Amino acid sequence: REAELRADEQRDAALLARHRAEAINRFLTEDLLYQAFPEQSERGSGMTVQQLLGLAVQRLDDSHGNGREPQLQATLRLALGNTYHRLGLHSEAERQLKSAVEIRRRELGSNDWDTLLAQLDLISLEAGSMNHFDDQTQRLAHDTLQAMRQIFETQNGRLSDTNVYRS
């Protein structure tokens, strides 16, 4: 019976992962990339990446609470935030990453691996690119690394038993 339960949990997790991947794909294609097509916008293919990202964020903001699963929303905001970060658009990157962290804390808890990874992205932006290493950022970095260390110690250092590679 225990093996059946584990198999059911694995099947459910795989199904959820598939649905999330499909939803992410739809968001990236329909809400982001398709906006560059001339028939979708007056500006058409002359849109910049920054403009496309802005439209995607607007659609994500508009759909907040309108049926988008919170974890999917957090994943999309992380992707957008990290893209803004790479483009050097730090204030918008910070807004998206903070939102993703907030959602993951609320949905998963502050010591969940996915929450901690999102916090690392935010710390990287604030402390690295924004050169904004104040007491709050320092405390977040300390707490995040302590929680990660605790996870490793709890798992006796066995990375295969954690969700280390999941984002």
Side-chain angles (χ1 to χ4, degrees), residues 53-54 56-62 73 77-78 80-82 84 89-103 122 125-126 130:
L53 289 172
V57 167
Q58 183 179 357
R59 287 188 179 211
L60 192 56
D61 288 344
D62 291 346
Q73 198 155 141
R77 290 192 185 279
L78 277 171
L80 291 166
N82 285 317
Y84 275 119
L89 303 169
H90 299 140
S91 62
E92 187 57 33
E94 184 177 38
R95 184 174 89 81
Q96 296 305 317
L97 293 175
K98 281 184 175 182
S99 180
V101 167
E102 179 185 308
I103 292 167
L122 179 59
L125 170 71
E126 289 181 342
M130 295 178 76

PDB file of all heavy atoms in Angstrom, residues 53-54 56-62 73 77-78 80-82 84 89-103 122 125-126 130:
ATOM      1  N   LEU A  53       8.682  42.399 -22.618  1.00  0.00           N
ATOM      2  CA  LEU A  53       8.654  42.028 -21.207  1.00  0.00           C
ATOM      3  C   LEU A  53       7.601  42.843 -20.453  1.00  0.00           C
ATOM      4  O   LEU A  53       6.886  42.308 -19.606  1.00  0.00           O
ATOM      5  CB  LEU A  53      10.024  42.229 -20.565  1.00  0.00           C
ATOM      6  CG  LEU A  53      11.114  41.249 -20.985  1.00  0.00           C
ATOM      7  CD1 LEU A  53      12.462  41.686 -20.419  1.00  0.00           C
ATOM      8  CD2 LEU A  53      10.775  39.841 -20.560  1.00  0.00           C
ATOM      9  N   GLY A  54       7.519  44.118 -20.774  1.00  0.00           N
ATOM     10  CA  GLY A  54       6.520  44.972 -20.133  1.00  0.00           C
ATOM     11  C   GLY A  54       5.105  44.480 -20.389  1.00  0.00           C
ATOM     12  O   GLY A  54       4.265  44.459 -19.483  1.00  0.00           O
ATOM     13  N   ALA A  56       4.270  41.381 -21.118  1.00  0.00           N
ATOM     14  CA  ALA A  56       4.127  40.107 -20.407  1.00  0.00           C
ATOM     15  C   ALA A  56       3.848  40.346 -18.924  1.00  0.00           C
ATOM     16  O   ALA A  56       2.976  39.695 -18.332  1.00  0.00           O
ATOM     17  CB  ALA A  56       5.379  39.255 -20.582  1.00  0.00           C
ATOM     18  N   VAL A  57       4.563  41.293 -18.330  1.00  0.00           N
ATOM     19  CA  VAL A  57       4.339  41.621 -16.919  1.00  0.00           C
ATOM     20  C   VAL A  57       2.929  42.168 -16.731  1.00  0.00           C
ATOM     21  O   VAL A  57       2.228  41.797 -15.778  1.00  0.00           O
ATOM     22  CB  VAL A  57       5.396  42.630 -16.409  1.00  0.00           C
ATOM     23  CG1 VAL A  57       4.999  43.218 -15.064  1.00  0.00           C
ATOM     24  CG2 VAL A  57       6.755  41.959 -16.308  1.00  0.00           C
ATOM     25  N   GLN A  58       2.505  43.015 -17.633  1.00  0.00           N
ATOM     26  CA  GLN A  58       1.151  43.581 -17.548  1.00  0.00           C
ATOM     27  C   GLN A  58       0.103  42.473 -17.600  1.00  0.00           C
ATOM     28  O   GLN A  58      -0.847  42.472 -16.818  1.00  0.00           O
ATOM     29  CB  GLN A  58       0.929  44.571 -18.678  1.00  0.00           C
ATOM     30  CG  GLN A  58      -0.410  45.264 -18.625  1.00  0.00           C
ATOM     31  CD  GLN A  58      -0.573  46.273 -19.764  1.00  0.00           C
ATOM     32  OE1 GLN A  58       0.336  46.491 -20.563  1.00  0.00           O
ATOM     33  NE2 GLN A  58      -1.730  46.875 -19.819  1.00  0.00           N
ATOM     34  N   ARG A  59       0.279  41.525 -18.491  1.00  0.00           N
ATOM     35  CA  ARG A  59      -0.669  40.408 -18.580  1.00  0.00           C
ATOM     36  C   ARG A  59      -0.630  39.553 -17.314  1.00  0.00           C
ATOM     37  O   ARG A  59      -1.655  39.079 -16.849  1.00  0.00           O
ATOM     38  CB  ARG A  59      -0.389  39.561 -19.807  1.00  0.00           C
ATOM     39  CG  ARG A  59      -0.810  40.275 -21.065  1.00  0.00           C
ATOM     40  CD  ARG A  59      -0.708  39.387 -22.255  1.00  0.00           C
ATOM     41  NE  ARG A  59      -1.165  40.151 -23.400  1.00  0.00           N
ATOM     42  CZ  ARG A  59      -1.749  39.630 -24.433  1.00  0.00           C
ATOM     43  NH1 ARG A  59      -1.953  38.336 -24.490  1.00  0.00           N
ATOM     44  NH2 ARG A  59      -2.138  40.382 -25.431  1.00  0.00           N
ATOM     45  N   LEU A  60       0.564  39.364 -16.789  1.00  0.00           N
ATOM     46  CA  LEU A  60       0.688  38.594 -15.548  1.00  0.00           C
ATOM     47  C   LEU A  60       0.033  39.344 -14.396  1.00  0.00           C
ATOM     48  O   LEU A  60      -0.686  38.749 -13.592  1.00  0.00           O
ATOM     49  CB  LEU A  60       2.160  38.316 -15.257  1.00  0.00           C
ATOM     50  CG  LEU A  60       2.480  37.301 -14.173  1.00  0.00           C
ATOM     51  CD1 LEU A  60       1.834  35.961 -14.442  1.00  0.00           C
ATOM     52  CD2 LEU A  60       3.984  37.150 -14.041  1.00  0.00           C
ATOM     53  N   ASP A  61       0.243  40.643 -14.321  1.00  0.00           N
ATOM     54  CA  ASP A  61      -0.382  41.463 -13.277  1.00  0.00           C
ATOM     55  C   ASP A  61      -1.903  41.431 -13.417  1.00  0.00           C
ATOM     56  O   ASP A  61      -2.621  41.320 -12.429  1.00  0.00           O
ATOM     57  CB  ASP A  61       0.100  42.913 -13.337  1.00  0.00           C
ATOM     58  CG  ASP A  61       1.538  43.086 -12.864  1.00  0.00           C
ATOM     59  OD1 ASP A  61       2.072  42.165 -12.222  1.00  0.00           O
ATOM     60  OD2 ASP A  61       2.122  44.142 -13.156  1.00  0.00           O
ATOM     61  N   ASP A  62      -2.386  41.527 -14.657  1.00  0.00           N
ATOM     62  CA  ASP A  62      -3.834  41.512 -14.903  1.00  0.00           C
ATOM     63  C   ASP A  62      -4.457  40.181 -14.538  1.00  0.00           C
ATOM     64  O   ASP A  62      -5.607  40.120 -14.106  1.00  0.00           O
ATOM     65  CB  ASP A  62      -4.145  41.821 -16.377  1.00  0.00           C
ATOM     66  CG  ASP A  62      -3.829  43.259 -16.748  1.00  0.00           C
ATOM     67  OD1 ASP A  62      -3.621  44.082 -15.828  1.00  0.00           O
ATOM     68  OD2 ASP A  62      -3.772  43.548 -17.956  1.00  0.00           O
ATOM     69  N   GLN A  73       2.682  31.409 -11.135  1.00  0.00           N
ATOM     70  CA  GLN A  73       2.895  32.840 -11.131  1.00  0.00           C
ATOM     71  C   GLN A  73       4.291  33.183 -10.575  1.00  0.00           C
ATOM     72  O   GLN A  73       5.007  34.017 -11.128  1.00  0.00           O
ATOM     73  CB  GLN A  73       1.807  33.526 -10.305  1.00  0.00           C
ATOM     74  CG  GLN A  73       1.796  34.906 -10.657  1.00  0.00           C
ATOM     75  CD  GLN A  73       0.642  35.754 -10.512  1.00  0.00           C
ATOM     76  OE1 GLN A  73       0.951  36.827 -10.135  1.00  0.00           O
ATOM     77  NE2 GLN A  73      -0.568  35.382 -10.842  1.00  0.00           N
ATOM     78  N   ARG A  77       7.312  34.983 -12.633  1.00  0.00           N
ATOM     79  CA  ARG A  77       7.903  36.227 -12.132  1.00  0.00           C
ATOM     80  C   ARG A  77       9.414  36.080 -11.911  1.00  0.00           C
ATOM     81  O   ARG A  77      10.172  37.018 -12.140  1.00  0.00           O
ATOM     82  CB  ARG A  77       7.197  36.690 -10.873  1.00  0.00           C
ATOM     83  CG  ARG A  77       5.782  37.184 -11.176  1.00  0.00           C
ATOM     84  CD  ARG A  77       5.154  37.907 -10.011  1.00  0.00           C
ATOM     85  NE  ARG A  77       3.783  38.257 -10.305  1.00  0.00           N
ATOM     86  CZ  ARG A  77       3.404  39.318 -11.032  1.00  0.00           C
ATOM     87  NH1 ARG A  77       4.314  40.127 -11.531  1.00  0.00           N
ATOM     88  NH2 ARG A  77       2.133  39.564 -11.244  1.00  0.00           N
ATOM     89  N   LEU A  78       9.841  34.897 -11.497  1.00  0.00           N
ATOM     90  CA  LEU A  78      11.284  34.659 -11.378  1.00  0.00           C
ATOM     91  C   LEU A  78      11.961  34.761 -12.739  1.00  0.00           C
ATOM     92  O   LEU A  78      13.019  35.380 -12.871  1.00  0.00           O
ATOM     93  CB  LEU A  78      11.555  33.276 -10.783  1.00  0.00           C
ATOM     94  CG  LEU A  78      11.509  33.165  -9.276  1.00  0.00           C
ATOM     95  CD1 LEU A  78      11.574  31.708  -8.849  1.00  0.00           C
ATOM     96  CD2 LEU A  78      12.641  33.956  -8.651  1.00  0.00           C
ATOM     97  N   LEU A  80      10.902  36.378 -15.408  1.00  0.00           N
ATOM     98  CA  LEU A  80      10.873  37.777 -15.834  1.00  0.00           C
ATOM     99  C   LEU A  80      11.876  38.611 -15.047  1.00  0.00           C
ATOM    100  O   LEU A  80      12.616  39.428 -15.611  1.00  0.00           O
ATOM    101  CB  LEU A  80       9.464  38.352 -15.693  1.00  0.00           C
ATOM    102  CG  LEU A  80       8.427  37.779 -16.668  1.00  0.00           C
ATOM    103  CD1 LEU A  80       7.018  38.149 -16.225  1.00  0.00           C
ATOM    104  CD2 LEU A  80       8.706  38.251 -18.083  1.00  0.00           C
ATOM    105  N   GLY A  81      11.912  38.407 -13.736  1.00  0.00           N
ATOM    106  CA  GLY A  81      12.846  39.158 -12.895  1.00  0.00           C
ATOM    107  C   GLY A  81      14.294  38.904 -13.270  1.00  0.00           C
ATOM    108  O   GLY A  81      15.100  39.836 -13.365  1.00  0.00           O
ATOM    109  N   ASN A  82      14.624  37.643 -13.517  1.00  0.00           N
ATOM    110  CA  ASN A  82      15.998  37.322 -13.894  1.00  0.00           C
ATOM    111  C   ASN A  82      16.336  37.856 -15.292  1.00  0.00           C
ATOM    112  O   ASN A  82      17.471  38.242 -15.552  1.00  0.00           O
ATOM    113  CB  ASN A  82      16.256  35.823 -13.791  1.00  0.00           C
ATOM    114  CG  ASN A  82      16.393  35.397 -12.344  1.00  0.00           C
ATOM    115  OD1 ASN A  82      17.037  36.071 -11.549  1.00  0.00           O
ATOM    116  ND2 ASN A  82      15.772  34.293 -11.982  1.00  0.00           N
ATOM    117  N   TYR A  84      14.964  40.658 -16.601  1.00  0.00           N
ATOM    118  CA  TYR A  84      15.189  42.087 -16.364  1.00  0.00           C
ATOM    119  C   TYR A  84      16.575  42.323 -15.754  1.00  0.00           C
ATOM    120  O   TYR A  84      17.272  43.276 -16.113  1.00  0.00           O
ATOM    121  CB  TYR A  84      14.118  42.659 -15.439  1.00  0.00           C
ATOM    122  CG  TYR A  84      12.843  43.085 -16.121  1.00  0.00           C
ATOM    123  CD1 TYR A  84      11.627  42.499 -15.801  1.00  0.00           C
ATOM    124  CD2 TYR A  84      12.844  44.110 -17.068  1.00  0.00           C
ATOM    125  CE1 TYR A  84      10.446  42.905 -16.407  1.00  0.00           C
ATOM    126  CE2 TYR A  84      11.673  44.526 -17.683  1.00  0.00           C
ATOM    127  CZ  TYR A  84      10.479  43.918 -17.350  1.00  0.00           C
ATOM    128  OH  TYR A  84       9.323  44.324 -17.951  1.00  0.00           O
ATOM    129  N   LEU A  89      17.934  46.105 -15.993  1.00  0.00           N
ATOM    130  CA  LEU A  89      16.753  46.866 -15.577  1.00  0.00           C
ATOM    131  C   LEU A  89      16.408  46.457 -14.145  1.00  0.00           C
ATOM    132  O   LEU A  89      15.479  45.694 -13.889  1.00  0.00           O
ATOM    133  CB  LEU A  89      15.599  46.604 -16.552  1.00  0.00           C
ATOM    134  CG  LEU A  89      15.928  46.940 -18.006  1.00  0.00           C
ATOM    135  CD1 LEU A  89      14.865  46.414 -18.944  1.00  0.00           C
ATOM    136  CD2 LEU A  89      16.088  48.451 -18.162  1.00  0.00           C
ATOM    137  N   HIS A  90      17.193  46.976 -13.223  1.00  0.00           N
ATOM    138  CA  HIS A  90      17.196  46.465 -11.857  1.00  0.00           C
ATOM    139  C   HIS A  90      15.934  46.747 -11.056  1.00  0.00           C
ATOM    140  O   HIS A  90      15.508  45.908 -10.258  1.00  0.00           O
ATOM    141  CB  HIS A  90      18.437  46.974 -11.121  1.00  0.00           C
ATOM    142  CG  HIS A  90      19.693  46.501 -11.773  1.00  0.00           C
ATOM    143  ND1 HIS A  90      20.797  47.299 -11.921  1.00  0.00           N
ATOM    144  CD2 HIS A  90      20.017  45.319 -12.347  1.00  0.00           C
ATOM    145  CE1 HIS A  90      21.744  46.634 -12.537  1.00  0.00           C
ATOM    146  NE2 HIS A  90      21.296  45.434 -12.820  1.00  0.00           N
ATOM    147  N   SER A  91      15.324  47.888 -11.204  1.00  0.00           N
ATOM    148  CA  SER A  91      14.135  48.171 -10.385  1.00  0.00           C
ATOM    149  C   SER A  91      12.985  47.236 -10.757  1.00  0.00           C
ATOM    150  O   SER A  91      12.276  46.741  -9.884  1.00  0.00           O
ATOM    151  CB  SER A  91      13.719  49.635 -10.478  1.00  0.00           C
ATOM    152  OG  SER A  91      13.364  49.961 -11.798  1.00  0.00           O
ATOM    153  N   GLU A  92      12.792  46.980 -12.055  1.00  0.00           N
ATOM    154  CA  GLU A  92      11.734  46.042 -12.459  1.00  0.00           C
ATOM    155  C   GLU A  92      12.117  44.613 -12.087  1.00  0.00           C
ATOM    156  O   GLU A  92      11.261  43.822 -11.690  1.00  0.00           O
ATOM    157  CB  GLU A  92      11.444  46.153 -13.958  1.00  0.00           C
ATOM    158  CG  GLU A  92      10.250  45.344 -14.406  1.00  0.00           C
ATOM    159  CD  GLU A  92       8.943  45.680 -13.693  1.00  0.00           C
ATOM    160  OE1 GLU A  92       8.729  46.853 -13.318  1.00  0.00           O
ATOM    161  OE2 GLU A  92       8.117  44.761 -13.495  1.00  0.00           O
ATOM    162  N   ALA A  93      13.395  44.289 -12.186  1.00  0.00           N
ATOM    163  CA  ALA A  93      13.860  42.964 -11.763  1.00  0.00           C
ATOM    164  C   ALA A  93      13.554  42.763 -10.282  1.00  0.00           C
ATOM    165  O   ALA A  93      13.034  41.716  -9.877  1.00  0.00           O
ATOM    166  CB  ALA A  93      15.354  42.819 -12.014  1.00  0.00           C
ATOM    167  N   GLU A  94      13.838  43.766  -9.489  1.00  0.00           N
ATOM    168  CA  GLU A  94      13.599  43.672  -8.047  1.00  0.00           C
ATOM    169  C   GLU A  94      12.105  43.490  -7.755  1.00  0.00           C
ATOM    170  O   GLU A  94      11.725  42.675  -6.911  1.00  0.00           O
ATOM    171  CB  GLU A  94      14.134  44.912  -7.346  1.00  0.00           C
ATOM    172  CG  GLU A  94      14.021  44.838  -5.836  1.00  0.00           C
ATOM    173  CD  GLU A  94      14.622  46.054  -5.160  1.00  0.00           C
ATOM    174  OE1 GLU A  94      14.475  47.186  -5.684  1.00  0.00           O
ATOM    175  OE2 GLU A  94      15.225  45.877  -4.092  1.00  0.00           O
ATOM    176  N   ARG A  95      11.263  44.214  -8.458  1.00  0.00           N
ATOM    177  CA  ARG A  95       9.815  44.091  -8.250  1.00  0.00           C
ATOM    178  C   ARG A  95       9.334  42.667  -8.547  1.00  0.00           C
ATOM    179  O   ARG A  95       8.584  42.081  -7.765  1.00  0.00           O
ATOM    180  CB  ARG A  95       9.075  45.094  -9.135  1.00  0.00           C
ATOM    181  CG  ARG A  95       7.569  45.104  -8.903  1.00  0.00           C
ATOM    182  CD  ARG A  95       6.874  46.207  -9.684  1.00  0.00           C
ATOM    183  NE  ARG A  95       6.462  45.835 -11.009  1.00  0.00           N
ATOM    184  CZ  ARG A  95       5.341  45.158 -11.297  1.00  0.00           C
ATOM    185  NH1 ARG A  95       4.541  44.757 -10.343  1.00  0.00           N
ATOM    186  NH2 ARG A  95       5.033  44.888 -12.544  1.00  0.00           N
ATOM    187  N   GLN A  96       9.799  42.105  -9.647  1.00  0.00           N
ATOM    188  CA  GLN A  96       9.364  40.760 -10.020  1.00  0.00           C
ATOM    189  C   GLN A  96       9.921  39.707  -9.056  1.00  0.00           C
ATOM    190  O   GLN A  96       9.204  38.791  -8.644  1.00  0.00           O
ATOM    191  CB  GLN A  96       9.783  40.437 -11.465  1.00  0.00           C
ATOM    192  CG  GLN A  96       9.141  41.319 -12.506  1.00  0.00           C
ATOM    193  CD  GLN A  96       7.628  41.328 -12.421  1.00  0.00           C
ATOM    194  OE1 GLN A  96       6.986  40.295 -12.242  1.00  0.00           O
ATOM    195  NE2 GLN A  96       7.042  42.514 -12.521  1.00  0.00           N
ATOM    196  N   LEU A  97      11.178  39.831  -8.689  1.00  0.00           N
ATOM    197  CA  LEU A  97      11.787  38.852  -7.785  1.00  0.00           C
ATOM    198  C   LEU A  97      11.179  38.924  -6.389  1.00  0.00           C
ATOM    199  O   LEU A  97      10.930  37.887  -5.765  1.00  0.00           O
ATOM    200  CB  LEU A  97      13.305  39.044  -7.735  1.00  0.00           C
ATOM    201  CG  LEU A  97      14.048  38.725  -9.037  1.00  0.00           C
ATOM    202  CD1 LEU A  97      15.525  39.079  -8.910  1.00  0.00           C
ATOM    203  CD2 LEU A  97      13.867  37.275  -9.445  1.00  0.00           C
ATOM    204  N   LYS A  98      10.917  40.130  -5.897  1.00  0.00           N
ATOM    205  CA  LYS A  98      10.275  40.260  -4.583  1.00  0.00           C
ATOM    206  C   LYS A  98       8.885  39.636  -4.600  1.00  0.00           C
ATOM    207  O   LYS A  98       8.478  38.984  -3.634  1.00  0.00           O
ATOM    208  CB  LYS A  98      10.197  41.727  -4.154  1.00  0.00           C
ATOM    209  CG  LYS A  98      11.491  42.258  -3.607  1.00  0.00           C
ATOM    210  CD  LYS A  98      11.347  43.687  -3.115  1.00  0.00           C
ATOM    211  CE  LYS A  98      12.629  44.161  -2.443  1.00  0.00           C
ATOM    212  NZ  LYS A  98      12.508  45.522  -1.913  1.00  0.00           N
ATOM    213  N   SER A  99       8.171  39.829  -5.674  1.00  0.00           N
ATOM    214  CA  SER A  99       6.842  39.245  -5.800  1.00  0.00           C
ATOM    215  C   SER A  99       6.928  37.717  -5.802  1.00  0.00           C
ATOM    216  O   SER A  99       6.138  37.038  -5.139  1.00  0.00           O
ATOM    217  CB  SER A  99       6.170  39.747  -7.076  1.00  0.00           C
ATOM    218  OG  SER A  99       4.892  39.185  -7.212  1.00  0.00           O
ATOM    219  N   ALA A 100       7.891  37.172  -6.534  1.00  0.00           N
ATOM    220  CA  ALA A 100       8.070  35.716  -6.584  1.00  0.00           C
ATOM    221  C   ALA A 100       8.414  35.159  -5.200  1.00  0.00           C
ATOM    222  O   ALA A 100       7.862  34.130  -4.777  1.00  0.00           O
ATOM    223  CB  ALA A 100       9.154  35.349  -7.587  1.00  0.00           C
ATOM    224  N   VAL A 101       9.300  35.843  -4.494  1.00  0.00           N
ATOM    225  CA  VAL A 101       9.681  35.403  -3.139  1.00  0.00           C
ATOM    226  C   VAL A 101       8.463  35.435  -2.217  1.00  0.00           C
ATOM    227  O   VAL A 101       8.212  34.493  -1.468  1.00  0.00           O
ATOM    228  CB  VAL A 101      10.838  36.266  -2.580  1.00  0.00           C
ATOM    229  CG1 VAL A 101      11.026  36.045  -1.084  1.00  0.00           C
ATOM    230  CG2 VAL A 101      12.129  35.983  -3.336  1.00  0.00           C
ATOM    231  N   GLU A 102       7.710  36.510  -2.292  1.00  0.00           N
ATOM    232  CA  GLU A 102       6.514  36.648  -1.453  1.00  0.00           C
ATOM    233  C   GLU A 102       5.513  35.515  -1.719  1.00  0.00           C
ATOM    234  O   GLU A 102       4.975  34.925  -0.792  1.00  0.00           O
ATOM    235  CB  GLU A 102       5.865  37.997  -1.727  1.00  0.00           C
ATOM    236  CG  GLU A 102       4.603  38.251  -0.934  1.00  0.00           C
ATOM    237  CD  GLU A 102       3.958  39.560  -1.343  1.00  0.00           C
ATOM    238  OE1 GLU A 102       4.654  40.592  -1.349  1.00  0.00           O
ATOM    239  OE2 GLU A 102       2.753  39.541  -1.650  1.00  0.00           O
ATOM    240  N   ILE A 103       5.282  35.220  -2.979  1.00  0.00           N
ATOM    241  CA  ILE A 103       4.343  34.144  -3.332  1.00  0.00           C
ATOM    242  C   ILE A 103       4.852  32.807  -2.814  1.00  0.00           C
ATOM    243  O   ILE A 103       4.104  32.039  -2.212  1.00  0.00           O
ATOM    244  CB  ILE A 103       4.133  34.076  -4.859  1.00  0.00           C
ATOM    245  CG1 ILE A 103       3.399  35.311  -5.360  1.00  0.00           C
ATOM    246  CG2 ILE A 103       3.367  32.803  -5.247  1.00  0.00           C
ATOM    247  CD1 ILE A 103       3.411  35.480  -6.876  1.00  0.00           C
ATOM    248  N   LEU A 122      17.042  37.087  -5.578  1.00  0.00           N
ATOM    249  CA  LEU A 122      16.815  38.449  -5.092  1.00  0.00           C
ATOM    250  C   LEU A 122      18.076  39.010  -4.428  1.00  0.00           C
ATOM    251  O   LEU A 122      18.465  40.154  -4.664  1.00  0.00           O
ATOM    252  CB  LEU A 122      15.637  38.468  -4.117  1.00  0.00           C
ATOM    253  CG  LEU A 122      15.277  39.815  -3.499  1.00  0.00           C
ATOM    254  CD1 LEU A 122      14.922  40.836  -4.577  1.00  0.00           C
ATOM    255  CD2 LEU A 122      14.126  39.643  -2.510  1.00  0.00           C
ATOM    256  N   LEU A 125      20.659  39.997  -7.008  1.00  0.00           N
ATOM    257  CA  LEU A 125      20.327  41.276  -7.633  1.00  0.00           C
ATOM    258  C   LEU A 125      20.662  42.433  -6.699  1.00  0.00           C
ATOM    259  O   LEU A 125      21.371  43.368  -7.084  1.00  0.00           O
ATOM    260  CB  LEU A 125      18.839  41.320  -7.993  1.00  0.00           C
ATOM    261  CG  LEU A 125      18.320  42.688  -8.442  1.00  0.00           C
ATOM    262  CD1 LEU A 125      18.871  43.030  -9.826  1.00  0.00           C
ATOM    263  CD2 LEU A 125      16.811  42.736  -8.416  1.00  0.00           C
ATOM    264  N   GLU A 126      20.142  42.377  -5.480  1.00  0.00           N
ATOM    265  CA  GLU A 126      20.288  43.512  -4.570  1.00  0.00           C
ATOM    266  C   GLU A 126      21.729  43.723  -4.133  1.00  0.00           C
ATOM    267  O   GLU A 126      22.229  44.851  -4.164  1.00  0.00           O
ATOM    268  CB  GLU A 126      19.382  43.329  -3.354  1.00  0.00           C
ATOM    269  CG  GLU A 126      17.913  43.486  -3.701  1.00  0.00           C
ATOM    270  CD  GLU A 126      16.993  43.343  -2.500  1.00  0.00           C
ATOM    271  OE1 GLU A 126      17.418  42.800  -1.463  1.00  0.00           O
ATOM    272  OE2 GLU A 126      15.836  43.779  -2.617  1.00  0.00           O
ATOM    273  N   MET A 130      22.784  45.723  -7.760  1.00  0.00           N
ATOM    274  CA  MET A 130      22.277  47.004  -7.268  1.00  0.00           C
ATOM    275  C   MET A 130      23.186  47.604  -6.199  1.00  0.00           C
ATOM    276  O   MET A 130      22.975  48.724  -5.756  1.00  0.00           O
ATOM    277  CB  MET A 130      20.856  46.842  -6.719  1.00  0.00           C
ATOM    278  CG  MET A 130      19.847  46.465  -7.789  1.00  0.00           C
ATOM    279  SD  MET A 130      18.195  46.223  -7.127  1.00  0.00           S
ATOM    280  CE  MET A 130      17.673  47.927  -6.868  1.00  0.00           C
TER     281      MET A 130
END
